[in-house]
Amino acid sequence: MLLVLALFVIPLAISVATHEPAAATWQDASRAPTGLAPDPAAVREPVVQVYAARTFGWRGAFAVHSWVSVKRAGADAYTRYDVIFWGGPPHVRLNAAAPDALWFGSRPDLLVDRRGEGVEALIDRIEAAVQRYPFNDTYRTWPGPNSNTFVAHIGRSVPELGLDLPANAIGKDYQPLSAALGAAPSGTGVQLSLFGLLGVIVAPEEGIEVNVLGLSLGLDVAEPALRLPGLGRVGVQEAAR
């Protein structure tokens, strides 16, 4: 029991001790493009990308904010989908920033990068999932529903994305009691979750992961790594799918 407690507490303590907020205030925080999204003028094929970046301020020691950007074949611009608290409800927002922008100073990690054949059909299904998101009028930072709940909903709806949200995407495990047993956020394997406060995932993408009070601890077997609260993924760097 003490070992399990240490595995939750120590990584979180390290994350808190080493976290440096990217900006002092919201007003000073950059939301500039990062160049991770290909230029629509040069890349005419369809593109789907999923990003996650540390949240603003002290919360970044605990969690990331995730979002989805899509571009159809021949389109001159992307459509970005986020769930954002301020200004809502509704909380699903279109084009709140550039598709690959810094999240208030924090550089995002690219989790999914799909292009070319078959991607147009994925965009159709992503947009249908956005329309079906069941919590558009509700937002809670912890344990959800929040931005990560939204992206996990897309992952469950479109398992072909191979989406693997990091362990510090707090809110990804939030599910209502009616869906306590169902697919993992990747859409593969299974998850048991009680409102995102207590649960377990066993899936090809996530591996084995336990959730306690919104904090996730696990082991990725396919691409060896630890999945740690606060720190996220520690081990073999997982390439964007």
mmCIF file of all heavy atoms in Angstrom, residues 8 140-145 149 170-177 180 191-200 210-216:
data_model
loop_
_atom_site.group_PDB
_atom_site.id
_atom_site.type_symbol
_atom_site.label_atom_id
_atom_site.label_comp_id
_atom_site.label_asym_id
_atom_site.label_seq_id
_atom_site.Cartn_x
_atom_site.Cartn_y
_atom_site.Cartn_z
ATOM 1 N N PHE A 8 2.200 7.271 -6.651
ATOM 2 C CA PHE A 8 1.332 8.395 -6.995
ATOM 3 C C PHE A 8 1.921 9.719 -6.525
ATOM 4 O O PHE A 8 1.941 10.699 -7.264
ATOM 5 C CB PHE A 8 -0.062 8.210 -6.378
ATOM 6 C CG PHE A 8 -0.996 7.376 -7.196
ATOM 7 C CD1 PHE A 8 -1.144 6.029 -6.935
ATOM 8 C CD2 PHE A 8 -1.727 7.931 -8.241
ATOM 9 C CE1 PHE A 8 -2.008 5.244 -7.693
ATOM 10 C CE2 PHE A 8 -2.581 7.165 -9.002
ATOM 11 C CZ PHE A 8 -2.727 5.810 -8.723
ATOM 12 N N ARG A 140 -16.136 21.167 -15.746
ATOM 13 C CA ARG A 140 -15.491 21.135 -14.436
ATOM 14 C C ARG A 140 -14.018 20.822 -14.648
ATOM 15 O O ARG A 140 -13.677 19.840 -15.321
ATOM 16 C CB ARG A 140 -16.115 20.069 -13.519
ATOM 17 C CG ARG A 140 -17.460 20.442 -12.928
ATOM 18 C CD ARG A 140 -17.881 19.441 -11.853
ATOM 19 N NE ARG A 140 -18.094 18.127 -12.436
ATOM 20 C CZ ARG A 140 -19.269 17.688 -12.904
ATOM 21 N NH1 ARG A 140 -20.333 18.479 -12.870
ATOM 22 N NH2 ARG A 140 -19.377 16.478 -13.401
ATOM 23 N N THR A 141 -13.152 21.636 -14.073
ATOM 24 C CA THR A 141 -11.716 21.407 -14.208
ATOM 25 C C THR A 141 -11.339 20.018 -13.711
ATOM 26 O O THR A 141 -10.544 19.311 -14.340
ATOM 27 C CB THR A 141 -10.936 22.474 -13.425
ATOM 28 O OG1 THR A 141 -11.271 23.765 -13.940
ATOM 29 C CG2 THR A 141 -9.441 22.259 -13.540
ATOM 30 N N TRP A 142 -11.904 19.627 -12.576
ATOM 31 C CA TRP A 142 -11.643 18.315 -11.976
ATOM 32 C C TRP A 142 -12.929 17.755 -11.408
ATOM 33 O O TRP A 142 -13.671 18.511 -10.784
ATOM 34 C CB TRP A 142 -10.601 18.445 -10.853
ATOM 35 C CG TRP A 142 -10.356 17.196 -10.092
ATOM 36 C CD1 TRP A 142 -9.448 16.219 -10.375
ATOM 37 C CD2 TRP A 142 -11.022 16.768 -8.887
ATOM 38 N NE1 TRP A 142 -9.511 15.213 -9.447
ATOM 39 C CE2 TRP A 142 -10.476 15.528 -8.515
ATOM 40 C CE3 TRP A 142 -12.056 17.309 -8.105
ATOM 41 C CZ2 TRP A 142 -10.895 14.827 -7.386
ATOM 42 C CZ3 TRP A 142 -12.483 16.601 -6.981
ATOM 43 C CH2 TRP A 142 -11.904 15.379 -6.629
ATOM 44 N N PRO A 143 -13.246 16.503 -11.635
ATOM 45 C CA PRO A 143 -12.526 15.486 -12.419
ATOM 46 C C PRO A 143 -12.947 15.472 -13.892
ATOM 47 O O PRO A 143 -12.578 14.609 -14.642
ATOM 48 C CB PRO A 143 -12.948 14.190 -11.738
ATOM 49 C CG PRO A 143 -14.372 14.455 -11.314
ATOM 50 C CD PRO A 143 -14.398 15.904 -10.904
ATOM 51 N N GLY A 144 -13.710 16.454 -14.315
ATOM 52 C CA GLY A 144 -14.286 16.542 -15.647
ATOM 53 C C GLY A 144 -15.791 16.729 -15.505
ATOM 54 O O GLY A 144 -16.324 16.703 -14.390
ATOM 55 N N PRO A 145 -16.447 16.957 -16.620
ATOM 56 C CA PRO A 145 -15.946 16.988 -17.992
ATOM 57 C C PRO A 145 -15.209 18.283 -18.311
ATOM 58 O O PRO A 145 -15.623 19.352 -17.893
ATOM 59 C CB PRO A 145 -17.215 16.859 -18.831
ATOM 60 C CG PRO A 145 -18.304 17.459 -17.975
ATOM 61 C CD PRO A 145 -17.919 17.117 -16.569
ATOM 62 N N THR A 149 -11.811 15.447 -21.511
ATOM 63 C CA THR A 149 -13.004 14.610 -21.659
ATOM 64 C C THR A 149 -13.500 14.670 -23.096
ATOM 65 O O THR A 149 -13.884 13.651 -23.691
ATOM 66 C CB THR A 149 -14.118 15.098 -20.718
ATOM 67 O OG1 THR A 149 -13.600 15.286 -19.396
ATOM 68 C CG2 THR A 149 -15.280 14.109 -20.675
ATOM 69 N N ILE A 170 -5.858 15.037 -17.237
ATOM 70 C CA ILE A 170 -6.914 14.869 -16.234
ATOM 71 C C ILE A 170 -8.260 15.216 -16.856
ATOM 72 O O ILE A 170 -8.415 16.263 -17.488
ATOM 73 C CB ILE A 170 -6.633 15.741 -14.995
ATOM 74 C CG1 ILE A 170 -5.404 15.218 -14.255
ATOM 75 C CG2 ILE A 170 -7.840 15.775 -14.057
ATOM 76 C CD1 ILE A 170 -4.990 16.067 -13.069
ATOM 77 N N GLY A 171 -9.222 14.333 -16.664
ATOM 78 C CA GLY A 171 -10.539 14.498 -17.269
ATOM 79 C C GLY A 171 -10.805 13.493 -18.367
ATOM 80 O O GLY A 171 -11.957 13.248 -18.723
ATOM 81 N N LYS A 172 -9.744 12.876 -18.913
ATOM 82 C CA LYS A 172 -9.930 11.912 -19.999
ATOM 83 C C LYS A 172 -10.732 10.699 -19.544
ATOM 84 O O LYS A 172 -11.393 10.038 -20.359
ATOM 85 C CB LYS A 172 -8.581 11.456 -20.553
ATOM 86 C CG LYS A 172 -7.740 10.606 -19.611
ATOM 87 C CD LYS A 172 -6.403 10.228 -20.231
ATOM 88 C CE LYS A 172 -5.525 9.446 -19.264
ATOM 89 N NZ LYS A 172 -6.086 8.151 -18.880
ATOM 90 N N ASP A 173 -10.698 10.399 -18.252
ATOM 91 C CA ASP A 173 -11.370 9.212 -17.730
ATOM 92 C C ASP A 173 -12.786 9.493 -17.251
ATOM 93 O O ASP A 173 -13.476 8.575 -16.795
ATOM 94 C CB ASP A 173 -10.555 8.611 -16.582
ATOM 95 C CG ASP A 173 -9.160 8.208 -17.025
ATOM 96 O OD1 ASP A 173 -9.053 7.576 -18.087
ATOM 97 O OD2 ASP A 173 -8.186 8.537 -16.324
ATOM 98 N N TYR A 174 -13.207 10.761 -17.333
ATOM 99 C CA TYR A 174 -14.548 11.082 -16.850
ATOM 100 C C TYR A 174 -15.606 10.427 -17.731
ATOM 101 O O TYR A 174 -15.619 10.599 -18.953
ATOM 102 C CB TYR A 174 -14.783 12.588 -16.829
ATOM 103 C CG TYR A 174 -16.168 12.935 -16.334
ATOM 104 C CD1 TYR A 174 -16.416 13.066 -14.975
ATOM 105 C CD2 TYR A 174 -17.231 13.083 -17.217
ATOM 106 C CE1 TYR A 174 -17.685 13.344 -14.508
ATOM 107 C CE2 TYR A 174 -18.497 13.360 -16.760
ATOM 108 C CZ TYR A 174 -18.729 13.490 -15.401
ATOM 109 O OH TYR A 174 -19.999 13.759 -14.947
ATOM 110 N N GLN A 175 -16.491 9.664 -17.099
ATOM 111 C CA GLN A 175 -17.626 9.058 -17.761
ATOM 112 C C GLN A 175 -18.820 9.078 -16.809
ATOM 113 O O GLN A 175 -18.649 8.914 -15.594
ATOM 114 C CB GLN A 175 -17.329 7.600 -18.144
ATOM 115 C CG GLN A 175 -16.358 7.417 -19.296
ATOM 116 C CD GLN A 175 -17.024 7.636 -20.641
ATOM 117 O OE1 GLN A 175 -17.470 8.742 -20.962
ATOM 118 N NE2 GLN A 175 -17.092 6.593 -21.441
ATOM 119 N N PRO A 176 -20.015 9.289 -17.323
ATOM 120 C CA PRO A 176 -21.191 9.208 -16.461
ATOM 121 C C PRO A 176 -21.399 7.770 -15.994
ATOM 122 O O PRO A 176 -20.852 6.823 -16.578
ATOM 123 C CB PRO A 176 -22.328 9.670 -17.368
ATOM 124 C CG PRO A 176 -21.861 9.333 -18.742
ATOM 125 C CD PRO A 176 -20.369 9.538 -18.730
ATOM 126 N N LEU A 177 -22.183 7.596 -14.945
ATOM 127 C CA LEU A 177 -22.400 6.267 -14.377
ATOM 128 C C LEU A 177 -23.000 5.312 -15.401
ATOM 129 O O LEU A 177 -22.712 4.111 -15.384
ATOM 130 C CB LEU A 177 -23.314 6.370 -13.149
ATOM 131 C CG LEU A 177 -23.347 5.151 -12.220
ATOM 132 C CD1 LEU A 177 -21.944 4.844 -11.694
ATOM 133 C CD2 LEU A 177 -24.301 5.398 -11.060
ATOM 134 N N ALA A 180 -20.100 3.665 -17.185
ATOM 135 C CA ALA A 180 -18.969 3.355 -16.307
ATOM 136 C C ALA A 180 -18.068 2.270 -16.875
ATOM 137 O O ALA A 180 -16.853 2.285 -16.667
ATOM 138 C CB ALA A 180 -19.477 2.942 -14.931
ATOM 139 N N GLN A 191 -12.392 0.142 -20.271
ATOM 140 C CA GLN A 191 -12.183 1.030 -19.135
ATOM 141 C C GLN A 191 -13.353 0.906 -18.182
ATOM 142 O O GLN A 191 -14.514 0.866 -18.600
ATOM 143 C CB GLN A 191 -12.074 2.482 -19.597
ATOM 144 C CG GLN A 191 -11.927 3.486 -18.446
ATOM 145 C CD GLN A 191 -11.817 4.915 -18.936
ATOM 146 O OE1 GLN A 191 -12.471 5.307 -19.896
ATOM 147 N NE2 GLN A 191 -10.977 5.698 -18.291
ATOM 148 N N LEU A 192 -13.043 0.840 -16.896
ATOM 149 C CA LEU A 192 -14.037 0.974 -15.837
ATOM 150 C C LEU A 192 -13.733 2.272 -15.120
ATOM 151 O O LEU A 192 -12.619 2.481 -14.635
ATOM 152 C CB LEU A 192 -13.953 -0.197 -14.858
ATOM 153 C CG LEU A 192 -14.861 -0.105 -13.622
ATOM 154 C CD1 LEU A 192 -16.333 -0.149 -14.029
ATOM 155 C CD2 LEU A 192 -14.544 -1.216 -12.630
ATOM 156 N N SER A 193 -14.716 3.181 -15.092
ATOM 157 C CA SER A 193 -14.475 4.493 -14.495
ATOM 158 C C SER A 193 -15.709 4.983 -13.760
ATOM 159 O O SER A 193 -16.812 4.988 -14.310
ATOM 160 C CB SER A 193 -14.081 5.508 -15.571
ATOM 161 O OG SER A 193 -13.868 6.787 -15.002
ATOM 162 N N LEU A 194 -15.524 5.398 -12.535
ATOM 163 C CA LEU A 194 -16.599 5.989 -11.728
ATOM 164 C C LEU A 194 -16.395 7.498 -11.687
ATOM 165 O O LEU A 194 -15.629 8.026 -10.877
ATOM 166 C CB LEU A 194 -16.592 5.399 -10.316
ATOM 167 C CG LEU A 194 -16.782 3.881 -10.232
ATOM 168 C CD1 LEU A 194 -16.704 3.416 -8.791
ATOM 169 C CD2 LEU A 194 -18.109 3.464 -10.852
ATOM 170 N N PHE A 195 -17.007 8.180 -12.650
ATOM 171 C CA PHE A 195 -16.959 9.647 -12.745
ATOM 172 C C PHE A 195 -15.533 10.189 -12.839
ATOM 173 O O PHE A 195 -15.262 11.322 -12.457
ATOM 174 C CB PHE A 195 -17.674 10.286 -11.564
ATOM 175 C CG PHE A 195 -19.114 9.921 -11.449
ATOM 176 C CD1 PHE A 195 -19.550 9.064 -10.452
ATOM 177 C CD2 PHE A 195 -20.056 10.403 -12.351
ATOM 178 C CE1 PHE A 195 -20.883 8.711 -10.344
ATOM 179 C CE2 PHE A 195 -21.389 10.056 -12.257
ATOM 180 C CZ PHE A 195 -21.811 9.209 -11.251
ATOM 181 N N GLY A 196 -14.594 9.382 -13.357
ATOM 182 C CA GLY A 196 -13.213 9.839 -13.473
ATOM 183 C C GLY A 196 -12.474 9.928 -12.157
ATOM 184 O O GLY A 196 -11.356 10.444 -12.105
ATOM 185 N N LEU A 197 -13.057 9.397 -11.088
ATOM 186 C CA LEU A 197 -12.450 9.465 -9.764
ATOM 187 C C LEU A 197 -11.788 8.164 -9.346
ATOM 188 O O LEU A 197 -10.902 8.155 -8.498
ATOM 189 C CB LEU A 197 -13.507 9.849 -8.719
ATOM 190 C CG LEU A 197 -14.061 11.254 -8.842
ATOM 191 C CD1 LEU A 197 -15.256 11.441 -7.923
ATOM 192 C CD2 LEU A 197 -12.983 12.290 -8.534
ATOM 193 N N LEU A 198 -12.224 7.074 -9.935
ATOM 194 C CA LEU A 198 -11.680 5.764 -9.606
ATOM 195 C C LEU A 198 -11.926 4.848 -10.787
ATOM 196 O O LEU A 198 -13.056 4.773 -11.290
ATOM 197 C CB LEU A 198 -12.356 5.197 -8.355
ATOM 198 C CG LEU A 198 -11.812 3.873 -7.826
ATOM 199 C CD1 LEU A 198 -10.376 4.044 -7.319
ATOM 200 C CD2 LEU A 198 -12.705 3.333 -6.708
ATOM 201 N N GLY A 199 -10.856 4.171 -11.248
ATOM 202 C CA GLY A 199 -11.066 3.301 -12.388
ATOM 203 C C GLY A 199 -9.800 2.619 -12.847
ATOM 204 O O GLY A 199 -8.715 2.793 -12.268
ATOM 205 N N VAL A 200 -9.938 1.854 -13.932
ATOM 206 C CA VAL A 200 -8.813 1.121 -14.498
ATOM 207 C C VAL A 200 -8.997 0.999 -16.001
ATOM 208 O O VAL A 200 -10.132 0.924 -16.490
ATOM 209 C CB VAL A 200 -8.675 -0.274 -13.850
ATOM 210 C CG1 VAL A 200 -9.915 -1.126 -14.114
ATOM 211 C CG2 VAL A 200 -7.412 -0.987 -14.324
ATOM 212 N N VAL A 210 -4.237 2.796 -13.843
ATOM 213 C CA VAL A 210 -5.158 2.914 -12.709
ATOM 214 C C VAL A 210 -5.386 4.397 -12.433
ATOM 215 O O VAL A 210 -4.440 5.188 -12.438
ATOM 216 C CB VAL A 210 -4.589 2.214 -11.456
ATOM 217 C CG1 VAL A 210 -5.511 2.426 -10.263
ATOM 218 C CG2 VAL A 210 -4.399 0.723 -11.717
ATOM 219 N N ASN A 211 -6.636 4.757 -12.185
ATOM 220 C CA ASN A 211 -6.994 6.145 -11.907
ATOM 221 C C ASN A 211 -7.541 6.247 -10.479
ATOM 222 O O ASN A 211 -8.475 5.528 -10.103
ATOM 223 C CB ASN A 211 -8.055 6.611 -12.912
ATOM 224 C CG ASN A 211 -8.693 7.931 -12.510
ATOM 225 O OD1 ASN A 211 -8.024 8.819 -12.004
ATOM 226 N ND2 ASN A 211 -9.986 8.036 -12.731
ATOM 227 N N VAL A 212 -6.950 7.133 -9.694
ATOM 228 C CA VAL A 212 -7.416 7.391 -8.327
ATOM 229 C C VAL A 212 -7.555 8.897 -8.164
ATOM 230 O O VAL A 212 -6.565 9.635 -8.282
ATOM 231 C CB VAL A 212 -6.450 6.814 -7.273
ATOM 232 C CG1 VAL A 212 -6.937 7.169 -5.871
ATOM 233 C CG2 VAL A 212 -6.302 5.312 -7.432
ATOM 234 N N LEU A 213 -8.762 9.349 -7.933
ATOM 235 C CA LEU A 213 -9.053 10.771 -7.739
ATOM 236 C C LEU A 213 -8.569 11.620 -8.920
ATOM 237 O O LEU A 213 -8.105 12.749 -8.754
ATOM 238 C CB LEU A 213 -8.442 11.281 -6.434
ATOM 239 C CG LEU A 213 -8.981 10.625 -5.157
ATOM 240 C CD1 LEU A 213 -8.286 11.196 -3.943
ATOM 241 C CD2 LEU A 213 -10.492 10.796 -5.045
ATOM 242 N N GLY A 214 -8.664 11.062 -10.123
ATOM 243 C CA GLY A 214 -8.279 11.785 -11.322
ATOM 244 C C GLY A 214 -6.812 11.684 -11.675
ATOM 245 O O GLY A 214 -6.408 12.137 -12.746
ATOM 246 N N LEU A 215 -5.996 11.111 -10.798
ATOM 247 C CA LEU A 215 -4.566 10.921 -11.061
ATOM 248 C C LEU A 215 -4.341 9.524 -11.617
ATOM 249 O O LEU A 215 -4.843 8.546 -11.060
ATOM 250 C CB LEU A 215 -3.751 11.116 -9.785
ATOM 251 C CG LEU A 215 -3.877 12.483 -9.120
ATOM 252 C CD1 LEU A 215 -3.101 12.503 -7.814
ATOM 253 C CD2 LEU A 215 -3.386 13.586 -10.051
ATOM 254 N N SER A 216 -3.572 9.429 -12.712
ATOM 255 C CA SER A 216 -3.404 8.153 -13.399
ATOM 256 C C SER A 216 -1.983 7.632 -13.260
ATOM 257 O O SER A 216 -1.009 8.376 -13.375
ATOM 258 C CB SER A 216 -3.747 8.293 -14.880
ATOM 259 O OG SER A 216 -5.119 8.578 -15.045
#
